Amino acid sequence: MGNVNFHVRIRFEDEVCWIARIKRLNASTPPGSVRDYMISSEAATYKFLNTTTIPAPHLFDFACGAESPTGFGYILMEEVPGVPFSSLSPTLEQSRKVLEQLASVYDELEQHPFELMGSLTNTDDDTDGHIIGPLANELLADISSTGRDLIGPFTSSQAYYEAMIQRILNMIADGQLYPLWAVDAWLIHRFLLDLVPRLKECTPFASAGGDRNEKFFLRHADDKGDHILVDDDFNITGIIDWEWAYTAPRSEAFSSPMAFWDVAGFFDGRNDLSDDEQQLATLLDAVSSARGAAKDGLGRVNACDREDKWESLKEEFASRTNVTIFPNGHLVSRVSDYIIYSVEAETIGRVVAQFGPSTKQGAIVGGQTSCKAPEVAAFEKYLPDDVEIVSCHSLHGPNVDPRGQPLVGDLFVSTLYPWSDQFSSSQVLIKHRASQESFDLVERILSCFNSKLVHLSADAHDRITADTQAVTHAAFLSMGTAWCANSQFPWEIARYVGGIENVKINVTLRIYSSKWHVYAGLAILNPAAKAQIRQYAESVTDLFKLMLGGHREQFEKRVKTAGEAVFGNAEAQDQKQTETKGDNLLLNDEVLDRFSLGKLPQERMPNNHLSLLAIVDCWWKLGISPYDHMICSTPLFRLWLGVTEYLFRKPGLLDEVIRTAIEDDTFRSDDLEFTFAARGWSDCVSFGDFASYRDRFEGIQRFFAPRFPEATRVGNEMIKTILESQREP
């Protein structure tokens, strides 16, 4: 039983179950004519939905009270299996799975536009047709009048908003609504009515052609989360309770269900979109782009994994009618027009050698590795000459919103030209085996990410990737190794809680919660990365020796010389900020303190921040300006640059760090392990030893694993908050 309806289960001898949905009668029940219209509208909505792919209950019969042989109105429908999504506590992965399916539901609804705004109702004849009638909402029914007084239908959303608010004002005036605070309610709604004409300035009420061109789409009106039924694997089994459904403008019809709002935050005064809402927006963009690609003849997706995963992958994508799972890469390559190799950089050569010769004539091939040198070499060696090569690399992890993040497009050729000054770092295109038409096609397909597309050559990509990621990864890997060697969970130690320490901990755990090969390929296969990681280890060692020897004057001179070379003086630093288009890289303790895995101490403990000092020293020794490649920087790099710049642009804090490094031995044992760790990772990378890299990585990963879920949640929130503060207004 719900608040408005009784539900009676009807079980047949063959175990088939129906649901009889019957209106409840109580003090708030609207007049019979309104109840009958509500039943007719809900039935018409199910009839319509049953002609689509949306998993709504199948309608068997209905009757309004005035004509029902039972004396009361009812709807007979299929009983849908599953439990309400709102009754569960899903993980991030399970919520995303539901959101992906919901995006498909919205996509289906978008294929059925209506000319009027209102609710579906049945035609007067005996056909299964439907028309758009008044809004089926008893809350807007004026029961003081005779008969059924509902509003609508409307030809524009502006007319709807004006009529709805005016109806509420009338019902407040005669005591039907808000009788205890009528004056306040009336003034609020009068204010809203005055705002409606101004909404045209920020809301697409209609297209440029006028209201007559505005389209409307069916919207569920009670989307608290109990309307979505899911099975044990979080597959949507049905969307129920379509009472009150109505056609709405696009901006309203495809907004997030209430189930995914940050309701608590809203009542605390925050009006930000929740993570789920932003995820749904991203998914809707992807679905829209996919449909656009389908119009271009690219609607089908062919995919494969290892052959031992074929059956499980087929089962996982069984509901995706446009996805075909093949047993191996040969079958995918033979029938696909655009092929992406999403494999580790270590194995790209072996995989392309196996499946590349099967590539369809004239196809476009690309890869997603973080190191392009081995990828390009494999493509050129093993792909047929008639294949075009266009590749890409998303410079962020899977849990980062891709909107606005760099997406590097590499147009590869049989003969790669060296990088030279005549090419712009943001617009490099070298055509030899890829036509402009093919490149434009790939660019259109990847546009669903809403990322910033950067055009580079393979050589430039690898050099810039090394500049923005290699040393950053080495620092975080070394911190995790040192804490593991000391059997420390740093968030349990007061000196590692708060401010910059939160960045160190959250990002380190974020890296170790990922797959080892994500970082191994970049470090081992990229020659520029090897040199930078080796220099980082040397910088750590040199600074640590000066600390141990108490050589304050030498230590301070080296640190400040490096800072001056990388960041310049205060005037130069301000100019850098201007050149990076106002990116607010500076962070502060008040922001960073919010993202702690441990309890904040009453008094902050000074730290020598050896890991930060060594990064700036490394950049100085290699002549790297971290600002040169901001357009291709990852979220982690921008975050790490932010805390580093924060340290070096606050003279008082930098002097405190130098004093702590020389005079305070609290961190000596930690710094010793950190130095060993930096040298160990450098040796591992220099030897090109993937097995050793994996053993080191996964051993430390097991140590921190129990805290990954919480660290991932806090880390994602931290990165999201900081990146949003850095975006251009």
Side-chain angles (χ1 to χ4, degrees):
M1 181 175 69
N3 294 327
V4 180
N5 299 280
F6 290 107
H7 295 96
V8 180
R9 178 179 287 107
I10 304 172
R11 187 182 300 276
F12 295 90
E13 292 181 352
D14 58 0
E15 298 301 318
V16 172
C17 289
W18 290 6
I19 291 291
R21 185 170 166 94
I22 304 167
K23 292 286 183 189
R24 295 178 61 187
L25 298 179
N26 52 39
S28 62
T29 300
S33 59
V34 175
R35 294 199 306 273
D36 287 349
Y37 183 74
M38 301 285 294
I39 293 173
S40 175
S41 176
E42 185 175 2
T45 301
Y46 286 125
K47 286 181 182 180
F48 164 72
L49 291 170
N50 292 162
T51 67
T52 71
T53 62
I54 295 170
H58 183 76
L59 177 76
F60 296 115
D61 192 20
F62 77 98
C64 297
E67 60 189 42
S68 171
T70 64
F72 54 82
Y74 63 82
I75 293 178
L76 294 178
M77 67 180 74
E78 167 193 19
E79 182 184 39
V80 179
V83 298
F85 176 70
S86 59
S87 67
L88 304 173
S89 299
T91 64
L92 291 174
E93 182 179 354
Q94 290 165 339
S95 288
R96 179 185 171 91
K97 184 174 182 178
V98 172
L99 288 169
E100 287 176 345
Q101 298 169 80
L102 191 61
S104 296
V105 169
Y106 279 10
D107 179 58
E108 174 67 12
L109 290 173
E110 190 184 22
Q111 308 314 307
H112 303 277
F114 294 88
E115 299 295 328
L116 297 174
M117 183 173 181
S119 293
L120 276 70
T121 188
N122 294 284
T123 55
D124 294 332
D125 54 32
D126 294 331
T127 67
D128 289 333
H130 57 262
I131 59 174
I132 299 298
L135 287 165
N137 188 337
E138 68 263 35
L139 298 178
L140 295 176
D142 189 349
I143 60 176
S144 66
S145 62
T146 58
R148 185 190 75 205
D149 188 8
L150 297 167
I151 62 172
F154 304 98
T155 59
S156 73
S157 50
Q158 181 175 359
Y160 156 68
Y161 289 124
E162 290 173 341
M164 176 188 65
I165 297 173
Q166 188 60 60
R167 171 57 58 88
I168 293 173
L169 286 170
N170 294 341
M171 296 172 73
I172 292 173
D174 64 16
Q176 295 184 55
L177 292 177
Y178 309 110
L180 299 181
W181 45 84
V183 174
D184 288 345
W186 197 93
L187 290 174
I188 290 171
H189 285 86
R190 179 65 246 190
F191 172 70
L192 293 175
L193 184 61
D194 292 339
L195 287 180
V196 170
R198 295 174 56 187
L199 288 177
K200 280 190 174 182
E201 301 172 8
C202 56
T203 303
F205 269 111
S207 64
D211 287 354
R212 66 182 182 276
N213 291 325
E214 188 174 12
K215 301 297 182 184
F216 304 97
F217 307 87
L218 188 65
R219 173 173 172 75
H220 197 291
D222 191 20
D223 50 7
K224 303 184 300 296
D226 53 357
H227 69 302
I228 301 175
L229 301 184
V230 298
D231 62 16
D232 293 340
D233 296 321
F234 284 83
N235 298 305
I236 293 180
T237 57
I239 299 180
I240 61 174
D241 293 343
W242 289 84
E243 187 178 40
W244 307 328
Y246 62 101
T247 58
R250 185 183 301 274
S251 57
E252 184 176 342
F254 303 127
S255 60
S256 171
M258 190 188 307
F260 299 101
W261 296 358
D262 180 10
V263 177
F266 178 78
F267 283 104
D268 283 340
R270 297 193 302 273
N271 197 29
D272 300 329
L273 295 178
S274 69
D275 289 342
D276 285 336
E277 289 180 277
Q278 294 190 43
Q279 185 67 65
L280 179 59
T282 300
L283 291 168
L284 289 174
D285 282 340
V287 169
S288 177
S289 294
R291 183 166 290 279
K295 292 179 180 178
D296 293 333
L298 298 173
R300 296 208 56 80
V301 176
N302 305 313
C304 71
D305 203 327
R306 299 197 313 263
E307 292 201 33
D308 60 298
K309 293 186 176 183
W310 180 40
E311 293 295 340
S312 61
L313 207 59
K314 278 201 305 180
E315 182 178 349
E316 179 180 349
F317 288 91
S319 62
R320 305 290 185 89
T321 57
N322 66 325
V323 177
T324 302
I325 304 299
F326 287 99
N328 58 57
H330 291 296
L331 299 176
V332 171
S333 297
R334 291 308 301 159
V335 300
S336 302
D337 298 299
Y338 174 42
I339 303 162
I340 301 178
Y341 282 81
S342 296
V343 299
E344 301 94 327
E346 178 193 10
T347 61
I348 186 71
R350 184 171 69 252
V351 175
V352 177
Q354 182 177 2
F355 301 118
S358 299
T359 304
K360 178 180 178 181
Q361 183 177 8
I364 307 169
V365 176
Q368 262 277 30
T369 64
S370 58
C371 183
K372 295 304 182 185
E375 180 183 294
V376 176
F379 286 161
E380 292 182 339
K381 183 174 182 179
Y382 299 114
L383 291 179
D385 292 338
D386 57 28
V387 171
E388 297 183 274
I389 304 170
V390 182
S391 202
C392 65
H393 181 204
S394 298
L395 296 177
H396 57 83
N399 292 317
V400 174
D401 184 351
R403 289 175 290 181
Q405 300 299 334
L407 176 64
V408 177
D410 307 280
L411 190 51
F412 298 137
V413 296
S414 293
T415 303
L416 290 175
Y417 294 90
W419 177 263
S420 66
D421 292 337
Q422 65 180 347
F423 298 115
S424 165
S425 62
S426 61
Q427 294 294 333
V428 178
L429 291 176
I430 306 174
K431 299 178 184 177
H432 186 79
R433 287 180 57 180
S435 66
Q436 186 63 41
E437 181 182 4
S438 295
F439 187 70
D440 291 343
L441 175 61
V442 173
E443 189 173 36
R444 190 163 67 252
I445 293 171
L446 299 179
S447 66
C448 65
F449 293 115
N450 286 330
S451 299
K452 294 183 294 187
L453 189 62
V454 182
H455 301 164
L456 295 172
S457 71
D459 286 346
H461 168 276
D462 285 354
R463 192 188 73 183
I464 293 174
T465 302
D467 287 353
T468 57
Q469 297 185 45
V471 176
T472 309
H473 294 165
F476 289 119
L477 290 172
S478 299
M479 278 185 266
T481 304
W483 289 325
C484 179
N486 283 332
S487 298
Q488 294 173 335
F489 294 113
W491 53 86
E492 297 176 351
I493 304 172
R495 64 176 181 263
Y496 283 121
V497 178
I500 293 175
E501 307 301 336
N502 287 346
V503 177
K504 294 179 180 178
I505 294 171
N506 289 328
V507 177
T508 296
L509 294 188
R510 182 185 181 90
I511 286 177
Y512 276 108
S513 66
S514 302
K515 300 293 186 181
W516 67 275
H517 63 76
V518 173
Y519 306 100
L522 166 65
I524 294 176
L525 297 177
N526 190 327
K530 281 187 177 182
Q532 292 183 23
I533 293 170
R534 181 168 56 252
Q535 178 57 56
Y536 182 70
E538 292 176 2
S539 293
V540 170
T541 303
D542 291 347
L543 291 174
F544 183 62
K545 287 179 179 179
L546 291 174
M547 291 163 54
L548 281 179
H551 304 299
R552 174 164 186 156
E553 184 177 345
Q554 291 177 259
F555 184 83
E556 181 173 1
K557 181 179 180 181
R558 179 158 178 168
V559 167
K560 291 190 174 181
T561 299
E564 182 81 12
V566 173
F567 299 113
N569 54 35
E571 182 178 346
Q573 291 163 1
D574 292 338
Q575 180 62 31
K576 286 290 186 183
Q577 290 291 310
T578 302
E579 292 172 357
T580 54
K581 298 182 180 180
D583 285 345
N584 182 20
L585 296 175
L586 292 180
L587 308 175
N588 60 71
D589 288 331
E590 291 182 2
V591 173
L592 299 179
D593 282 346
R594 292 164 46 190
F595 306 106
S596 176
L597 293 179
K599 184 178 180 180
L600 289 171
Q602 292 183 348
E603 186 175 347
R604 184 176 61 85
M605 181 176 292
N607 190 334
N608 60 53
H609 294 302
L610 176 58
S611 59
L612 291 174
L613 299 181
I615 279 186
V616 176
D617 189 88
C618 176
W619 287 336
W620 167 49
K621 289 292 186 180
L622 294 173
I624 293 174
S625 171
Y627 300 98
D628 287 348
H629 309 309
M630 288 302 295
I631 195 170
C632 295
S633 61
T634 66
L636 295 188
F637 176 78
R638 296 199 294 278
L639 184 61
W640 199 231
L641 177 57
V643 296
T644 305
E645 188 181 19
Y646 172 63
L647 171 61
F648 276 82
R649 288 194 65 176
K650 296 188 70 174
L653 178 59
L654 184 60
D655 289 340
E656 177 189 274
V657 166
I658 293 172
R659 182 174 60 254
T660 302
I662 301 299
E663 300 175 3
D664 189 342
D665 61 1
T666 304
F667 290 88
R668 282 291 185 266
S669 61
D670 296 359
D671 292 335
L672 177 63
E673 291 293 351
F674 179 76
T675 303
F676 288 158
R679 295 173 68 91
W681 282 110
S682 176
D683 290 343
C684 182
V685 170
S686 296
F687 295 149
D689 189 346
F690 279 96
S692 175
Y693 193 106
R694 180 174 185 175
D695 287 343
R696 289 170 63 88
F697 189 98
E698 292 185 341
I700 299 161
Q701 187 179 60
R702 288 189 292 271
F703 177 75
F704 289 116
R707 293 304 292 267
F708 284 159
E710 183 182 3
T712 299
R713 178 186 61 79
V714 175
N716 287 345
E717 184 180 353
M718 178 185 70
I719 290 174
K720 172 190 169 186
T721 299
I722 292 171
L723 292 184
E724 285 180 349
S725 72
Q726 295 174 357
R727 286 176 179 164
E728 296 179 47

